[in-house]
């Protein structure tokens, strides 16, 4: 899913600019216009902290191309700023003043204006200014917009009163949330999305004379004031000024309770009056207006009492505060009633518009007007990857979500929002959270109990920030490691994926859903239904993707056996929500051809809901219905009729809700389908206890990133390490050895945690709290010298450890062929070659999928698949130094070459570098014996199988596996690899005797 992102802002150093202006002449009582940007070359194209103009965007294609162009029609001077753009995510440009110089004072002016060369494209263009803070990148952001609905040059005048505080993104989380204008750092322009275009701009300047209404503002402490019937609401009204100076002139606030759904004199005592802040009143002074409500004996839905405020002498609040008399006495509010009855009662009372709102999910960054939550009866918000509050702290998350929940209290039935995030390996959007290995590493542990513990830690940290819903786990069965989402899968074998679904209980608790209301549990999501891991290379039609979101072409038997079976397990485990895949499904012989999963009623209604008995709700992926062929109305009705219950429409929530209502009224979507969808959504909200406790329970916040939680992640990192080769017993290391450490991923926490860490794509470098592999080795007491590129002298060392691999990516951005391959980088290859030529060496590959290492394998003594171990590099050090043994096994087949892909356990032709299930051990005692021993183990396994002793059966197969693996050594052939891999699949399906028989088959060939 995509992923809100940062919007920077800026302006120019006025002291360096000429005072002449092409703007209108100043009036006699107004100051002369002050130039901010003339675009004659006086300000360079440069990034902060320098004074300059710079571009930005959501990816490499989105920043506009800028130039200073001489034009005869320039409104001022000879040149104008011109640019071209083609933006898919977001993009624009900024002028930041120099950070090393004082901020600018704009407080004596009325506003800012500039010339814009109109293209008449009817698009809104956002304009932003920066206020306060240390510099332009640590200031408050204030925004407004204008519409390009004209042709040719036009002077755009924007009074400072038009700017509103940005609620979707703030780089510092708010300084005082007052537009002070005394410490200004520049401006920014956000260009239209989805339109290839050009622009021209000239002569940015300050104009007009400020009055007190620009320097003083009146605010209320909230926009919504819920109160129990008969209680009294207290509305705090405050006055604040630029620079916190006392007000020069009196400010009066006339108030009157008027309008709304509550009846004056029956539901509340009407209030009317005036509050005065005399001249000289200190900034921040408050007065309280009380609104008494009246109690009667009838059960009622919530009722609103708007408190109209009329302000003289200052800027008025941006919206009218509302007192809300809480709904009361209605059956759905009774926690003693069964959930089913509460749901039925509530649905029976709701209008179509309210139901459509419940089926709508918006990205929190898109809801710039928070009143929209109540206006459109929104049922859900989410944070895409990297869509975080500022500062990115547990407290800020909880406060942000509580603010959203408060808005939902202004709706008729006060239905709480359900807020969702992609916490796919810990609470990965939160700085300081415990970051687990990605699923591919969890699959390598072969430890279902540990998988459940990781889910428990994740749920605890997510819920402690006020979030009750997690878009995890991914139950994809990855069948081609060219897929950029390979690391989101537990492995290539559906039996392995199913065994790791204990994570669902870690997230949700009991299958019945009885634990969902607890402060350490969240609603889980099985994704992506169905077949996302089986897409054919080259079948994607999404941008430059090669495999992600492509077509899965399978027989019905393959579909059932490989891709569908993990979902039945999830349903049996009580999964609360399911997310369909972006990909298309092409079932051989069904005559439909490739059909987008979001449109497949046969799979969502027919298989998932009807056959499997799924009783949770289905949530779409990010704007995924837009990929269904047809117009928007067709997208909406097709997806809803296919069985989707809630649609993730990040930025199109108004259009979606309106369209759905129209489709129902036209009879193209039935009301019964809508009622079913809403009932499913409300059922989970009731189970989560949101009606009783809509706000964040932060009692568990102290455990976020705690020692106990990190201990689980450390264990998971250790158990995920797969020892592929260990010639001459190089591993484990001894603390007495002098160790030479090199490689790009030895000391890079961002590379170690991978994609979906703080941002959608992740990033290299230090971005959260954690321990790199190098730091872990040093903490373990090792005698370690580090040289990233192996440029330091290599003589005098006992052993080398070279940590190489991938840099972060997510989804199709990471597809092989989309700027990626499975080879090590030249720098990594050079580091391996240099170190391994100079000394005994161990190579660790930190990656989301196998890397091609065959051409260097003979020179490498020990090889470790480290996957993406998360924040706890100590766990990797634990196995390197023998504190824990290597026990991990390959969750996917490790290929010899890219041409072998796809290659998977069970293939008829199977000749990998390392087979599925391979994993050497550094246990002190490796089983001894030969064919006779294996025969005895097979007999014992058959007895254990008949006795129903899974633990004994697994132990016997493991003993046989280690014995055979030791015999094979590095001489892996097709004859040994195939039965070896098959044995691991049989182990996971409970066929213990057959597994030992397969291992016996592999033994003589070895």
């Amino acid at each position: 899913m995509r992923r809100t992102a940062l919007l920077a802002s800026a302006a120019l150093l006025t002291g360096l600019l000429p005072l002449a202006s092409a703007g209108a002449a100043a009036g006699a009582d107004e100051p002369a216009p002050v130039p901010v940007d003339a675009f004659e070359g006086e300000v360079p194209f440069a990034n902060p902290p320098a004074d300059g103009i710079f571009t930005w965007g959501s990816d490499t294609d989105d920043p506009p191309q800028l130039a200073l162009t001489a034009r005869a029609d320039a409104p001022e001077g000879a040149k104008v700023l011109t640019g071209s753009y083609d933006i898919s995510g977001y993009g624009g440009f900024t002028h930041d003043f120099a950070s090393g110089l004082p901020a600018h004072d704009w407080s004596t002016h009325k506003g800012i204006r500039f010339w814009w060369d109109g293209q008449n494209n009817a698009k809104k263009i956002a304009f932003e200014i920066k206020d306060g803070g240390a510099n332009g990148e640590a200031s408050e952001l204030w925004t407004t917009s204008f519409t390009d609905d004209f042709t040719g040059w036009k002077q755009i005048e924007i009074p400072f009163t038009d700017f509103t505080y940005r609620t979707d993104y703030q780089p510092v989380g708010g300084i005082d949330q007052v537009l002070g204008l005394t410490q200004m750092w520049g401006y920014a322009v956000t260009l239209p999305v989805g339109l290839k275009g050009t622009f021209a701009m000239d002569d940015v300047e300050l104009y007009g004379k400020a009055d007190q209404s620009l320097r003083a503002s009146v605010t209320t402490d909230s926009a919504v004031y819920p109160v129990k019937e008969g209680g009294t609401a207290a509305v705090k009204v405050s006055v604040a000024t630029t620079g916190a100076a006392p007000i020069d002139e009196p400010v009066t606030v006339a108030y009157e309770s008027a309008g709304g759904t509550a009846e004056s004199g029956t539901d509340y005592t009407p209030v009317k009056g005036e509050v005065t802040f005399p001249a000289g009143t200190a900034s921040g002074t408050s007065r309280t207006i009380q609104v008494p409500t009246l109690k009667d004996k009838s059960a009622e839905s919530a009722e609103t009492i708007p408190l109209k405020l009329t302000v003289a002498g200052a800027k008025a609040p941006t919206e009218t505060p509302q007192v809300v008399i809480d709904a009361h006495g209605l059956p759905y509010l009774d926690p003693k009633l069964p959930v089913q009855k509460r749901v039925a009662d509530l649905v029976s009372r709701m209008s179509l518009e309210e139901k459509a709102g419940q089926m709508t999910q918006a990205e929190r960054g898109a809801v710039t007007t928070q009143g929209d939550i109540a206006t459109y009866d929104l049922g859900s918000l989410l944070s895409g990857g990297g869509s975080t509050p500022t500062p990115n702290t547990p407290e800020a998350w909880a406060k942000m979500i509580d603010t959203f929940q408060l808005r939902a209290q202004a709706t008729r039935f006060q239905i709480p929002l359900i807020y969702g995030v992609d916490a796919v390996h810990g609470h990965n959007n939160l700085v300081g959270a415990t970051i687990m290995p990605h699923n591919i590493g969890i699959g390598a542990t072969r430890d279902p109990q540990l998988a459940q513990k990781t889910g428990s830690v994740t749920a605890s940290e997510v819920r402690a920030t006020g979030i009750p819903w997690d878009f995890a786990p991914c139950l994809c069965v990855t069948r081609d490691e060219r897929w950029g989402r390979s690391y989101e899968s537990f492995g290539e074998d559906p039996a392995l994926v199913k065994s790791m679904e204990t994570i669902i209980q870690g997230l949700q608790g009991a299958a019945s859903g009885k634990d969902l209301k607890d402060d350490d549990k969240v609603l889980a999501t099985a994704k992506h239904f169905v077949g996302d891991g089986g897409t054919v290379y080259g079948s994607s039609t999404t941008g430059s993707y090669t495999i992600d979101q492509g077509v899965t072409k399978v027989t019905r038997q393959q579909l059932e056996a490989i891709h569908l079976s993990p979902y039945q397990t999830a349903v049996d485990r009580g999964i609360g929500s399911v997310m369909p895949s972006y990909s298309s499904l092409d079932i051989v012989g069904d005559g439909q051809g490739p059909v987008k999963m979001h449109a497949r009623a046969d799979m969502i209604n027919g298989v998932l809901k009807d056959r499997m008995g799924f009783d949770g709700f289905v949530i779409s992926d990010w704007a995924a219905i837009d990929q269904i062929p047809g117009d928007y109305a067709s997208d909406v009705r097709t997806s809803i009729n296919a069985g989707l219950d809630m649609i993730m429409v990040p930025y199109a929530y108004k259009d979606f809700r309106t369209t759905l209502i129209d489709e129902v009224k036209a009879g193209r979507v039935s009301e019964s389908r809508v009622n079913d969808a809403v009932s499913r959504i409300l059922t989970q909200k009731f189970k989560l206890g949101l009606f009783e406790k809509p706000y964040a329970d932060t009692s568990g916040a102290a455990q976020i990133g705690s020692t106990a939680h990190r201990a689980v992640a450390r264990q998971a990192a250790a158990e995920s390490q797969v020892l592929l080769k260990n010639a001459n017993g190089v591993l484990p290391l001894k603390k007495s050895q002098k160790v030479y450490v090199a490689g790009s991923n030895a000391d890079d926490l961002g590379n170690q945690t991978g994609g979906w860490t703080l941002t959608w794509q992740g990033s290299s470098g230090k971005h959260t709290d954690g321990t790199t592999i190098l730091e872990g080795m040093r903490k373990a007491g090792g005698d370690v010298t580090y040289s990233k590129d192996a440029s330091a002298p290599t003589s005098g060392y006992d052993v080398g450890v070279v940590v190489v691999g991938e840099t972060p990516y997510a989804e199709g951005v990471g597809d092989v062929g989309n700027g990626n391959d499975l080879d090590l980088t030249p720098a990594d290859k050079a580091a391996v070659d240099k170190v391994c030529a100079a000394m005994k060496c161990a190579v660790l590959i930190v990656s989301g999928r196998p890397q091609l290492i065959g051409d260097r394998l003979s020179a490498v003594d020990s090889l470790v698949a480290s996957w993406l171990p998360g924040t706890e590099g100590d766990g990797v050090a634990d196995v390197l130094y023998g504190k824990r043994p290597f026990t991990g096994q390959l969750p996917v087949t490790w290929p010899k070459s890219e041409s072998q892909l796809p290659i998977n356990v069970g293939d008829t032709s199977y000749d990998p570098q390392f087979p599925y299930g391979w994993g050497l051990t550094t246990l002190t005692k490796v089983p001894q014996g030969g064919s006779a021993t294996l025969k005895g183990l097979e007999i014992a396994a058959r007895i254990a199988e008949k006795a129903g002793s899974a633990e004994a059966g697994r132990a016997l197969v493991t003993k046989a596996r280690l014995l055979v693996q030791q015999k094979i050594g590095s001489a892996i052939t097709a004859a040994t690899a195939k039965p070896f891999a098959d044995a691991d699949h049989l182990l996971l399906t409970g066929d213990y005797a057959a597994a030992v028989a397969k291992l016996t088959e592999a033994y003589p060939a070895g």
Side-chain angles (χ1 to χ4, degrees):
M1 297 175 351
R2 230 203 48 77
R3 359 293 162 192
T4 359
L6 181 97
L7 178 62
S9 295
L12 262 130
L13 189 58
T14 55
L16 299 179
L17 299 177
L19 293 177
S21 169
D29 59 343
E30 293 188 353
V34 173
V36 174
D37 218 338
F39 302 119
E40 298 299 315
E42 74 286 356
V43 176
F45 293 114
N47 290 310
D51 177 44
I53 301 169
F54 61 95
T55 62
W56 37 264
S58 54
D59 58 38
T60 55
D61 297 327
D62 282 353
Q65 301 297 310
L66 302 183
L68 297 176
T69 304
R71 283 191 28 177
D73 64 345
E76 185 278 337
K79 296 179 181 178
V80 301
L81 179 70
T82 61
S84 60
Y85 59 91
D86 185 4
I87 302 168
S88 59
Y90 65 90
F93 63 92
T94 287
H95 180 186
D96 266 2
F97 299 146
S99 299
L101 296 176
H104 297 199
D105 186 347
W106 293 358
S107 63
T108 60
H109 286 82
K110 179 179 182 179
I112 190 167
R113 65 189 179 193
F114 50 88
W115 289 89
W116 189 265
D117 187 13
Q119 305 300 305
N120 200 23
N121 56 30
K123 295 288 187 178
K124 284 189 177 297
I125 298 163
F127 190 87
E128 183 175 87
I129 57 177
K130 300 185 171 189
D131 169 47
N135 54 61
E137 300 310 298
S139 58
E140 282 187 344
L141 308 183
W142 294 75
T143 188
T144 188
S145 66
F146 65 95
T147 302
D148 187 339
D149 55 1
F150 53 92
T151 301
W153 288 107
K154 178 180 178 181
Q155 192 172 47
I156 307 296
E157 289 195 344
I158 307 175
F160 290 129
T161 50
D162 284 2
F163 287 91
T164 58
Y165 180 79
R166 280 195 63 176
T167 57
D168 58 326
Y169 171 76
Q170 287 290 339
V172 294
I175 298 165
D176 56 10
Q177 298 188 27
V178 174
L179 181 54
L181 298 172
T182 58
Q183 286 186 292
M184 302 304 295
W185 292 104
Y187 68 87
V189 174
T190 303
L191 294 163
V193 174
L195 173 75
K196 189 173 183 178
T198 61
F199 75 91
M201 182 182 189
D202 199 14
D203 191 26
V204 184
E205 66 181 12
L206 308 177
Y207 75 95
K209 179 182 178 181
D211 57 33
Q212 180 169 283
S213 66
L214 294 178
R215 301 193 305 274
S217 60
V218 168
T219 59
T220 58
D221 58 326
S222 181
V224 179
Y225 297 83
V227 61
K228 293 187 182 301
E229 186 188 44
T232 298
V235 180
K236 186 192 289 186
V237 179
S238 304
V239 64
T241 64
T242 295
I247 57 177
D248 299 328
E249 304 167 12
V251 172
T252 60
V253 182
Y255 60 88
E256 181 180 7
S257 55
T261 58
E263 187 175 341
S264 176
T266 301
D267 297 314
Y268 68 97
T269 302
V271 295
K272 185 177 183 179
E274 187 175 273
V275 170
T276 300
F277 297 93
T281 297
S283 178
T285 300
S286 300
R287 301 282 188 270
T288 299
I289 301 168
Q290 294 192 329
V291 182
T293 68
L294 303 173
K295 197 172 182 67
D296 59 33
K297 296 181 180 180
S298 59
E300 294 173 303
S301 58
E303 297 169 308
T304 57
I305 310 167
L307 187 64
K308 184 180 178 183
L309 303 178
T310 305
V311 178
K315 186 178 178 180
T318 55
E319 59 184 305
T320 298
Q322 286 193 87
V323 174
V324 180
I325 304 172
D326 288 339
H328 53 278
L330 300 173
Y332 78 89
L333 295 169
D334 184 357
K336 296 178 182 178
L337 287 178
V339 167
Q340 190 174 2
K341 287 191 174 182
R342 297 178 75 182
V343 170
D345 175 67
L346 180 51
V347 172
S348 71
R349 299 174 185 278
M350 295 170 68
S351 67
L352 172 59
E353 289 72 17
E354 289 164 328
K355 293 172 184 175
Q358 284 301 300
M359 297 170 69
T360 306
Q361 183 184 62
E363 154 63 35
R364 63 114 200 172
V367 187
T368 54
T369 303
Q370 291 190 12
D372 281 359
I373 292 171
T375 300
Y376 298 98
D377 300 290
L378 296 181
S380 181
L381 296 181
L382 84 150
S383 279
S387 175
T388 66
T390 308
N392 189 348
T393 63
E395 297 79 11
W397 276 95
K399 181 179 178 181
M400 175 185 74
I401 291 165
D402 282 354
T403 300
F404 293 141
Q405 287 288 20
L406 180 63
R407 294 292 187 154
Q409 294 298 300
T411 59
R412 191 162 63 122
F413 297 114
Q414 298 182 304
I415 302 173
L417 295 164
I418 180 169
Y419 198 100
V421 294
D422 286 273
V424 297
H425 61 140
H427 195 353
N428 45 257
N429 282 304
L430 172 65
V431 172
T434 307
I435 304 300
M436 302 291 170
H438 271 292
N439 284 354
I440 195 76
I442 300 298
T445 71
R446 295 298 200 282
D447 189 340
Q449 289 183 325
L450 180 58
Q452 183 167 337
K453 287 181 183 177
T454 66
S456 295
V457 168
T458 299
S460 171
E461 297 197 1
V462 169
R463 194 69 181 256
T465 55
I467 301 166
W469 185 15
D470 184 4
F471 304 130
C474 186
L475 302 184
C476 46
V477 182
T478 179
R479 305 293 286 178
D480 189 332
E481 278 60 62
R482 290 172 291 190
W483 188 34
R485 303 188 83 139
S486 291
Y487 64 75
E488 294 188 44
S489 172
F490 292 116
E492 70 186 33
D493 182 355
L496 175 58
V497 174
K498 289 163 71 173
S499 73
M500 293 294 111
E501 291 187 51
T502 50
I503 196 171
I504 294 170
Q505 264 55 67
L507 293 166
Q508 289 196 171
S512 66
K514 69 180 182 62
D515 300 327
L516 284 172
K517 64 183 183 303
D518 294 349
D519 64 3
D520 62 351
K521 290 290 175 276
V522 294
L523 193 75
T525 308
K527 65 183 189 183
H528 304 88
F529 186 84
V530 59
D532 52 338
T535 49
V536 176
Y537 188 81
S539 65
S540 181
T541 57
T542 301
S544 57
Y545 294 6
T546 58
I547 186 168
D548 187 34
Q549 304 185 19
V551 178
T552 300
K553 187 170 185 176
V554 287
T555 65
R556 189 162 292 278
Q557 189 278 331
Q558 289 170 328
L559 177 66
E560 295 284 346
I562 297 172
H563 299 291
L564 269 174
S565 67
Y567 286 93
Q568 185 64 66
T569 301
V571 171
D572 295 342
R573 287 185 172 276
I575 196 78
S577 63
V578 169
M579 181 183 291
S581 175
Y582 277 119
S583 57
S584 299
L585 180 62
D586 184 358
I587 303 175
V588 177
D590 76 349
Q592 296 189 62
V595 179
K596 283 287 180 182
M597 271 307 309
H598 281 71
R600 289 210 69 138
D602 60 330
M603 300 304 301
I604 299 171
N605 284 328
V607 174
L608 178 64
K609 290 183 173 180
D610 295 342
R611 194 187 84 190
M612 292 185 176
F614 173 62
D615 60 3
F617 68 92
V618 179
I619 170 71
S620 88
D621 209 333
W622 180 282
I625 68 168
D626 295 349
Q627 295 189 10
I628 299 173
D631 60 18
Y632 194 65
S634 171
D635 295 346
V636 170
R637 67 173 171 268
T638 299
S639 59
I640 298 297
N641 288 334
L644 273 76
D645 303 306
M646 182 185 287
I647 309 296
M648 190 185 295
V649 278
Y651 302 104
Y653 60 92
K654 297 176 186 177
D655 290 343
F656 167 76
R657 180 177 176 272
T658 299
T659 303
L660 176 56
I661 292 167
D662 290 345
E663 289 299 297
V664 175
K665 289 180 176 178
R668 291 184 287 267
V669 174
S670 70
E671 286 207 47
S672 63
R673 170 75 270 269
V674 169
N675 289 342
D676 172 60
V678 174
S679 296
R680 288 170 175 270
I681 294 163
L682 292 177
T683 295
Q684 300 304 325
K685 289 187 177 185
F686 280 117
K687 285 184 176 181
L688 285 162
L690 295 177
F691 281 82
E692 288 70 51
K693 293 175 68 176
Y695 303 114
D697 181 345
T698 58
S699 57
Q703 292 301 307
I704 294 173
S706 66
T707 301
H709 285 185
R710 290 184 185 276
V712 174
R714 180 173 181 167
Q715 180 185 352
E719 291 191 23
S720 71
Q721 303 299 294
V722 180
L723 184 58
L724 298 172
K725 179 183 178 182
N726 196 27
N728 305 314
V730 168
L731 295 177
L733 304 171
K734 299 177 180 64
K735 293 181 183 178
S736 59
Q737 290 176 310
K738 291 188 68 178
V739 182
Y740 187 101
V741 179
S744 59
N745 285 350
D747 194 33
D748 194 306
L749 195 64
N751 291 356
Q752 189 175 300
T753 52
W756 285 108
T757 309
L758 296 189
T759 58
W760 175 39
Q761 291 295 314
S763 61
S764 299
K766 171 87 171 170
H767 52 29
T768 189
D769 301 332
T771 303
T772 65
I773 294 170
L774 175 68
E775 290 168 342
M777 293 176 69
R778 286 174 170 159
K779 287 169 67 178
D783 183 354
V784 171
T785 296
Y786 173 57
S787 175
K788 181 177 180 178
D789 60 358
S791 60
T794 55
S795 59
Y797 292 94
D798 298 308
V799 63
V801 175
V802 191
V803 189
V804 295
E806 296 184 310
T807 54
Y809 55 81
E811 300 187 34
V813 176
D815 284 352
V816 167
N818 188 18
N820 310 284
D821 56 40
L822 299 180
D823 288 318
L824 298 180
T825 66
D828 278 348
K829 289 177 181 178
V832 170
D833 292 345
K834 183 173 182 181
V835 175
C836 292
M839 66 193 83
K840 292 188 295 182
C841 72
V843 173
L844 277 62
I845 298 180
V846 173
S847 64
R849 53 196 169 192
Q851 303 292 284
L852 302 176
I853 192 74
D855 58 343
R856 283 171 171 75
L857 193 55
S858 60
V860 173
D861 297 292
S862 294
L863 180 65
V864 179
S866 285
W867 309 114
L868 298 169
T871 51
E872 306 314 298
D874 288 321
V876 181
D878 286 342
V879 292
L880 289 178
Y881 278 98
K883 183 176 181 178
R884 293 179 183 268
F886 278 94
T887 56
Q889 296 175 247
L890 283 181
V892 293
T893 299
W894 198 284
K896 289 180 177 178
S897 67
E898 194 174 312
S899 63
Q900 285 186 313
L901 297 174
I903 183 171
N904 295 287
V905 58
D907 287 354
T908 304
S909 176
Y910 190 73
D911 185 20
Q913 192 84 67
F914 299 100
Y916 169 77
W918 187 264
L920 304 174
T921 183
T922 51
L923 288 166
T924 54
K925 291 185 179 179
V926 175
Q928 301 298 311
S931 298
T933 304
L934 288 169
K935 190 63 178 175
L937 290 172
E938 183 181 347
I939 293 168
R942 186 170 289 109
I943 293 169
E945 206 173 304
K946 287 183 178 179
S949 178
E951 185 176 353
R954 286 194 297 267
L956 290 162
V957 177
T958 298
K959 188 173 182 179
R961 180 180 67 83
L962 294 175
L963 189 157
V964 170
Q965 204 168 234
Q966 185 180 50
K967 175 69 173 177
I968 294 173
S970 59
I972 300 169
T973 65
T976 58
K978 182 169 175 53
F980 186 93
D982 290 343
D984 202 59
H985 169 73
L986 291 166
L987 165 64
L988 289 163
T989 58
D991 295 336
Y992 306 122
V996 178
K998 279 290 181 184
L999 288 167
T1000 304
E1001 183 183 330
Y1003 185 78

